[in-house]
Amino acid sequence: MSLVELVARADARGLAASGLACLDRCLPLLGADDDALRPLWASLTADGAEWGTQLAAVRAVLPPGPADDTEPAVLVRRMLDDAPATRSDEEALRAWADACSSTALHVHHLLDHPGRPYEGPHTLADRRAGRTDGTTPLVEAELRRQTTILELLAGHGPAGLRQAVEISAEGRRVLRAVVSRQARGAV
């Protein structure tokens, strides 16, 4: 099943976790602590009533703008700013999770190819629809993580959250290494 289909079929918890996981993997671009989103992850195990409170707390702790003004950092901050205030509005969550999926893939593409838009026969939408030939390793890994998380949550419900957090932590470490390597190369 393609990433687009998985997002379309996800329930509210799966959508919130999917969007949150995309944001979590991109945290290094905001200069945020690895545990910055832990309260939001914890709120996903409950009925969702704490989501808005925890989201406000996370927004208050993270810097109001990105650590730098690069396009990837601005896009990641927008993911946080656009998060729905409640978990009860499934359509708002679906739109956010879908946007986070696209944004995270775009961010990974930009880190692979700074300043270069998607080119060639496959667009970002094509990648999300399952056409991955010619995909760079960083984007391909992000596609795989997104798909795995949605499949875990669809198959295991709340029990899949722990694995989703672990998958996101792995992706965050990879992205942090890429950002660090690029920063060393720019100096």
Side-chain angles (χ1 to χ4, degrees), residues 67-145:
D68 58 44
D69 62 353
T70 63
E71 182 181 3
V74 170
L75 291 170
V76 173
R77 181 59 201 206
R78 192 173 305 141
M79 274 196 275
L80 176 61
D81 292 344
D82 291 347
T86 68
R87 268 192 34 213
S88 60
D89 184 349
E90 196 165 312
E91 287 311 307
L93 282 172
R94 191 170 317 283
W96 179 64
D98 195 56
C100 287
S101 170
S102 294
T103 299
L105 289 168
H106 186 63
V107 164
H108 282 75
H109 170 80
L110 290 171
L111 292 172
D112 255 352
H113 305 289
R116 194 173 93 194
Y118 275 95
E119 296 176 339
H122 298 299
T123 65
L124 177 62
D126 291 330
R127 303 286 186 221
R128 294 183 70 237
R131 291 180 289 281
T132 60
D133 56 306
T135 304
T136 62
L138 194 60
V139 173
E140 186 174 341
E142 176 60 13
L143 276 166
R144 189 174 48 253
R145 285 184 189 95

Side-chain angles (χ1 to χ4, degrees), residues 146-164:
Q146 288 185 29
T147 301
T148 301
I149 286 171
L150 284 163
E151 289 171 344
L152 274 170
L153 295 167
H156 302 288
L161 284 172
R162 181 182 178 101
Q163 289 174 295

Side-chain angles (χ1 to χ4, degrees), residues 21-32:
C22 290
L23 176 61
D24 195 10
R25 286 188 298 280
C26 294
L27 275 180
L29 292 166
L30 295 181

